[in-house]
Amino acid sequence: MSTTTAPAPVAPLTTRDAELLVDSARRAAEAAGVTVSVTVLDAGGHLLAFRRDDRAVLISGETSTRKAYTALQLDAPTADLVDLVKPDGPFHSLPTALDKPLLFIAGGIPVHRDGRLIGAIGVGGGAPEQDHGFATAALAALAR
């Protein structure tokens, strides 16, 4: 008989964490002169926080949410997945094969705590590289 020790519990992503992520991403976007939408999901894919700047393009709300969902489901930054769904990529049929709101554009990043997936952030409204940078800045603020 072997004894296994259950992994230590990891604190979930809280509403306070989610608000910090949203505020930090928006500050980074504002400093760059970009209006965005920011979505934060918990580990179960449930909405914890959302904010769309007044002047952000309307579709940015949808793209930020889909980017967060994609990063959460695949536990990878969406920036790292873009080439995988191109016509010659190994997952080229994934976006249409599943009836899920996946979006393979940079701007979604999973959130980890103690090596465990606890949620995701998605940013939409800027160029994909900008959105990725704003999400990365938000994660850095959470890590402080």
Side-chain angles (χ1 to χ4, degrees), residues 123-140:
V123 180
E129 307 77 34
Q130 289 175 311
D131 291 345
H132 179 78
F134 305 148
T136 300
L139 285 180

Side-chain angles (χ1 to χ4, degrees), residues 35-37 52-63 124-126:
T35 55
V36 296
S37 291
R52 185 181 70 80
D53 289 330
D54 293 338
R55 295 178 325 271
V57 294
L58 294 177
I59 198 168
S60 67
E62 183 69 22
T63 61

Side-chain angles (χ1 to χ4, degrees), residues 35-128:
T35 55
V36 296
S37 291
V38 183
T39 301
V40 178
L41 304 176
D42 69 11
H46 304 285
L47 182 66
L48 275 181
F50 173 81
R51 182 72 177 263
R52 185 181 70 80
D53 289 330
D54 293 338
R55 295 178 325 271
V57 294
L58 294 177
I59 198 168
S60 67
E62 183 69 22
T63 61
S64 70
T65 300
R66 287 179 179 233
K67 289 175 185 184
Y69 182 80
T70 303
L72 179 70
Q73 293 300 311
L74 298 174
D75 193 10
T78 54
D80 295 351
L81 303 170
V82 174
D83 288 339
L84 298 176
V85 295
K86 288 184 178 178
D88 60 345
F91 299 132
H92 71 278
S93 64
L94 189 61
T96 55
L98 302 174
D99 186 26
K100 300 289 181 191
L102 301 174
L103 185 60
F104 295 90
I105 299 173
I109 302 179
V111 179
H112 295 93
R113 182 173 286 145
D114 298 329
R116 305 254 309 269
L117 180 65
I118 60 167
I121 181 172
V123 180

